[in-house]
Amino acid sequence: HRSRQGSREYLRLIFRQAPGAAWATDRELRLTHVQGRTALLDEAEPIALRVLDAKDPIRLRISRQRATLLQRHGKLAEAIPALRSAYAQHRDALGPGDIDTLLVHNDLAIVLSGLEQKAESAAILTDIVTESRTAFGDDNTWTLSFRANLAAILRDLGRFDEAVAELEAIIAV
C-alpha cells in the first residue's frame, strides 16, 4: 500500500532531520500543537508533501495543524496561505463536502474576517453553507454553526437583511 510505505518513509525522514520529533500518533501531534512548536511543523510539512500520498491522514493533519498554530499564535497574515494550502489539500483528498474540508475552509474565512477581508470571508462562508447543506442537511449542527458564522460576517458588512434571513433559517430548525 503506497500510503503506508510513504508514512514509514516520512517517519524515517522526520527522525533523521529532527530527532525526537515523532509524528506517528495523534497524541504526539496534539502535544506538538499544544507546545506551539511551529518550527517542527514547518520542517515536517515539505517532507510530508513529498513522501506521503495525497490522501494520507498524517499529511492532511500536518498541513492543518501548521495553519492552526499560526492562527492561534496571532500570525494571521502567515496563516492565510497555510490555510489556503490546507484547504486545497483537503478538498482534493476528501472532497468539498467533507467535514474536515469544510472546517479548514471555515478557519480560512474566520482569519480573513479578522484581517478585515470580510467580503471574501462572506463568499467563502456562503460556499461552506451550500456544501454543508448539500452534504449534511439544513438541521445539521455544523450547517447551523456555519450559517451563524455567515450571519455574523453579513452583519459586519452591513448586509442586515441577509444576516437576519440566515438567523431566521437557524431559528426555524
Side-chain angles (χ1 to χ4, degrees):
H1 187 263
R2 182 175 173 228
S3 182
R4 191 170 294 146
Q5 290 171 338
S7 294
R8 282 192 209 115
E9 179 63 19
Y10 168 73
L11 291 172
R12 279 195 290 272
L13 286 168
I14 285 294
F15 282 116
R16 264 189 250 135
Q17 291 193 5
W23 297 95
T25 67
D26 284 340
R27 180 185 164 280
E28 292 163 18
L29 279 173
R30 282 194 300 275
L31 178 61
T32 300
H33 179 78
V34 168
Q35 292 171 341
R37 297 171 62 186
T38 56
L40 290 177
L41 286 169
D42 288 343
E43 294 172 19
E45 189 174 30
I47 297 169
L49 292 174
R50 191 173 67 246
V51 301
L52 296 180
D53 183 71
K55 293 185 179 184
D56 191 295
I58 293 174
R59 177 179 169 165
L60 295 174
R61 225 175 286 128
I62 288 170
S63 68
R64 184 169 183 200
Q65 289 285 63
R66 183 175 170 276
T68 302
L69 276 173
L70 290 168
Q71 179 184 1
R72 290 190 179 165
H73 288 286
K75 298 178 179 183
L76 301 184
E78 293 175 49
I80 289 175
L83 284 164
R84 288 188 198 281
S85 174
Y87 167 66
Q89 290 174 45
H90 279 75
R91 183 194 61 227
D92 294 346
L94 305 173
D98 182 84
I99 190 60
D100 287 331
T101 302
L102 294 173
L103 289 170
V104 172
H105 212 194
N106 183 68
D107 289 347
L108 174 59
I110 300 304
V111 170
L112 288 168
S113 174
L115 290 174
E116 299 303 319
Q117 296 178 33
K118 296 193 185 288
E120 184 179 0
S121 178
I124 289 171
L125 284 164
T126 299
D127 291 344
I128 292 169
V129 168
T130 301
E131 288 291 341
S132 186
R133 290 177 71 194
T134 301
F136 308 115
D138 287 330
D139 61 345
N140 178 272
T141 305
W142 289 113
T143 301
L144 298 172
S145 177
F146 296 141
R147 289 188 98 157
N149 290 346
L150 176 57
I153 298 301
L154 292 170
R155 179 203 63 218
D156 292 348
L157 287 169
R159 294 164 52 183
F160 300 113
D161 291 340
E162 293 172 77
V164 168
E166 288 297 327
L167 293 173
E168 287 173 344
I170 293 168
I171 292 168
V173 174

